[in-house]
Amino acid sequence: MKAIILAGGSGTRLWPLSRTSHPKQFLRLNGNKSLLQQTVERTREAISPEDIIVITNNDYKFHVKSDLSTEPAIHIVLEPASRNTAPAIALGARYCLEKLGCDKDEIVFVSPSDHVIKPLDKFKEYLKQAAEAAKDGYIVTFGIKPLRVETGYGYIKTGYRVQGTGYRGHPTPYTLHPVFNVEAFTEKPDTETAKRYLEEGSYYWNSGMFVFSIGAIMEEFGRYQPEIKKMLDLSFNEIVSSFSGMPDISIDYAIAEKSEKVVTLPLDIYWNDIGSWDSLYDVLDKDENGNVKHGDIVSVDTKGSMIIGSKRLISTIGLEDIVIVETDDAIMIAKKGETQKVKEVVHKLRKDGRRECVDHVTTYRPWGNYTILEEGPRYKIKRIVVNSNQKLSLQMHYHRSEHWVVVRGTARIMIGDNEKFIHENESAYVPKSTPHRLENQGKVPLEIIEVQS
């Protein structure tokens, strides 16, 4: 079995922590590992690292490489353009055929990179059952048993129980876990409709995970998405070069809602797609008053709330069921149950051309990161962190000079034709129109303060 992990999404439903340049799959929200790292670890329990493919947008390649630096066997495939989940899965299928030597009977597990699933041993059982059904030609979706009235998810309506081919072609029921026919996929419902879905019992949340054979998914692309199938007949490199011509469409719209091969395997385990601040609240540990508190927080008469701080002291008095998220450049305050509307805030920010929906104050690069501390009409102050054995590209600026002060580590610098080392509490000056480079040859991160004039 192969695994395709989709890590190219730029969702901003967890704004202001998640932004276009640093989306939620790279955030460390429920521990010291990113959601992508947790997904890879979970997948690696059932599938060998050399059989795992992470597909991401070209803009996120350094985030992925950084998160997976200890997983050299995992394959990283870069999309040259963002084209939703159907083209990404097609690209992954072609990679399996051409680069990994798979045949069309190979079973593939497709998973988003930003979900929380437990317990792992039970999930592995479901994955085994899904693979069995996929060998019978089915495209298996994982449905999640609803636990509450939820308007933030799509739903799957199930029908009759399907059977496997069994011994010598005699149909037999799947014994490990039941698998059901799909009657319909439904969009995110209103509250009354979601309540009815919960009461009826035949509806499940759509998890976005799939298991299928390469042959089955290629056949359905040919039947329902001829543009994608046409691309699939090309070589992997040809697909990459013409990837921007792929239709921008999800696998749900492209295949799942149309195909007669789609079935659902209901999962009776804990699953959370961290699709809103309310969802994140459910995952995190709470104090005796039901509060989630991260950062420098002082609360008085506050109950059932989530307060996440960055650097400033946050104090709350007499609040109940409130979400507060503070970053270096933005504060989001919402009532619990209303946090799905964060996307409306992001839409307004994007419409107004505000950078806060795209970038953090801290920007991540292959060599490390930099944070803008202060900025004015004639100056900018940054904190620059260069990781061990990394260096910045050779640069030259015609309209600004720079002052560097080392506050941690040792910097190897080149200014014009001169190279030297500067240590903690030492500085260097870079005049205008002078080539320069900054490098960290040490074992600890190099941290400098840069003043641009």
Side-chain angles (χ1 to χ4, degrees), residues 170 310 343:
H170 296 293
S310 175
K343 60 185 178 184

Side-chain angles (χ1 to χ4, degrees), residues 218-376:
M218 290 183 71
E219 186 176 320
E220 297 306 270
F221 275 128
R223 181 173 287 117
Y224 301 108
Q225 297 296 324
E227 288 184 67
I228 295 179
K229 180 57 171 64
K230 185 178 179 181
M231 292 276 193
L232 271 173
D233 292 333
L234 303 174
S235 70
F236 175 79
N237 290 337
E238 288 173 330
I239 293 176
V240 169
S241 64
S242 56
F243 193 78
S244 59
M246 284 268 202
D248 187 348
I249 188 170
S250 71
I251 193 65
D252 287 341
Y253 285 125
I255 301 296
E257 295 183 8
K258 300 179 174 68
S259 174
E260 295 180 358
K261 293 183 177 182
V262 177
V263 296
T264 292
L265 174 58
L267 306 187
D268 189 11
I269 59 176
Y270 181 84
W271 170 89
N272 194 322
D273 76 338
I274 318 293
S276 68
W277 289 111
D278 288 306
S279 297
L280 182 60
Y281 174 84
D282 292 339
V283 172
L284 300 180
D285 294 333
K286 300 154 186 74
D287 66 13
E288 65 276 7
N289 294 312
N291 296 318
V292 172
K293 297 191 290 188
H294 284 252
D296 191 2
I297 314 297
V298 176
S299 60
V300 176
D301 295 333
T302 298
K303 299 178 181 179
S305 296
M306 180 163 66
I307 308 116
I308 297 178
S310 175
K311 295 178 180 177
R312 287 169 283 194
L313 165 66
I314 300 177
S315 60
T316 63
I317 303 172
L319 297 184
E320 189 168 352
D321 295 333
I322 297 295
V323 175
I324 301 172
V325 182
E326 177 252 356
T327 65
D328 290 344
D329 61 345
I331 300 174
M332 190 281 297
I333 304 171
K335 186 177 180 180
K336 276 173 61 181
E338 300 286 335
T339 62
Q340 290 282 355
K341 295 180 181 178
V342 164
K343 60 185 178 184
E344 297 178 22
V345 174
V346 174
H347 175 73
K348 289 181 179 180
L349 293 174
R350 187 172 289 121
K351 185 178 179 181
D352 293 340
R354 298 286 298 263
R355 67 153 189 84
E356 288 91 345
C357 68
V358 177
D359 294 316
H360 280 282
V361 170
T362 298
T363 300
Y364 294 88
R365 290 288 184 260
W367 43 262
N369 64 78
Y370 67 85
T371 302
I372 299 173
L373 303 177
E374 184 68 40
E375 188 171 6

Side-chain angles (χ1 to χ4, degrees), residues 144-184:
I144 309 299
K145 184 178 181 180
L147 301 176
R148 62 185 181 274
V149 175
E150 176 60 63
T151 61
Y153 299 144
Y155 283 73
I156 303 170
K157 178 173 174 54
T158 57
Y160 60 86
R161 184 170 177 174
V162 300
Q163 296 181 329
T165 55
Y167 179 66
R168 293 184 178 176
H170 296 293
T172 56
Y174 294 112
T175 55
L176 196 57
H177 296 286
V179 180
F180 296 91
N181 175 57
V182 173
E183 289 192 1

Side-chain angles (χ1 to χ4, degrees), residues 365-398:
R365 290 288 184 260
W367 43 262
N369 64 78
Y370 67 85
T371 302
I372 299 173
L373 303 177
E374 184 68 40
E375 188 171 6
R378 304 283 293 175
Y379 71 93
K380 183 183 291 186
I381 303 174
K382 291 181 178 180
R383 180 176 64 248
I384 298 175
V385 177
V386 184
N387 294 332
S388 176
N389 296 315
Q390 296 293 322
K391 61 183 177 182
L392 282 67
S393 60
L394 184 65
Q395 302 176 40
M396 183 172 67
H397 309 297
Y398 290 103

Side-chain angles (χ1 to χ4, degrees), residues 411-415 418-422 427-429:
R412 181 187 181 188
I413 64 171
M414 186 194 83
I415 301 175
N418 299 318
E419 289 191 21
K420 65 177 182 177
F421 290 89
I422 55 174
S427 63
Y429 170 64

Side-chain angles (χ1 to χ4, degrees), residues 80-184:
S82 181
R83 282 297 178 270
N84 220 313
T85 54
I89 290 171
L91 184 66
R94 172 48 63 185
Y95 187 90
C96 288
L97 290 171
E98 186 173 325
K99 304 296 184 179
L100 302 185
C102 300
D103 58 33
K104 291 185 178 181
D105 292 330
E106 183 72 48
I107 303 301
V108 177
F109 166 52
V110 174
S111 172
S113 58
D114 50 9
H115 294 182
V116 174
I117 299 173
K118 53 188 178 182
L120 180 58
D121 56 348
K122 196 168 182 181
F123 179 69
K124 288 168 65 176
E125 280 187 14
Y126 284 117
L127 193 57
K128 181 179 179 180
Q129 178 67 90
E132 185 180 338
K135 290 176 182 177
D136 289 329
Y138 292 118
I139 295 174
V140 185
T141 65
F142 289 116
I144 309 299
K145 184 178 181 180
L147 301 176
R148 62 185 181 274
V149 175
E150 176 60 63
T151 61
Y153 299 144
Y155 283 73
I156 303 170
K157 178 173 174 54
T158 57
Y160 60 86
R161 184 170 177 174
V162 300
Q163 296 181 329
T165 55
Y167 179 66
R168 293 184 178 176
H170 296 293
T172 56
Y174 294 112
T175 55
L176 196 57
H177 296 286
V179 180
F180 296 91
N181 175 57
V182 173
E183 289 192 1

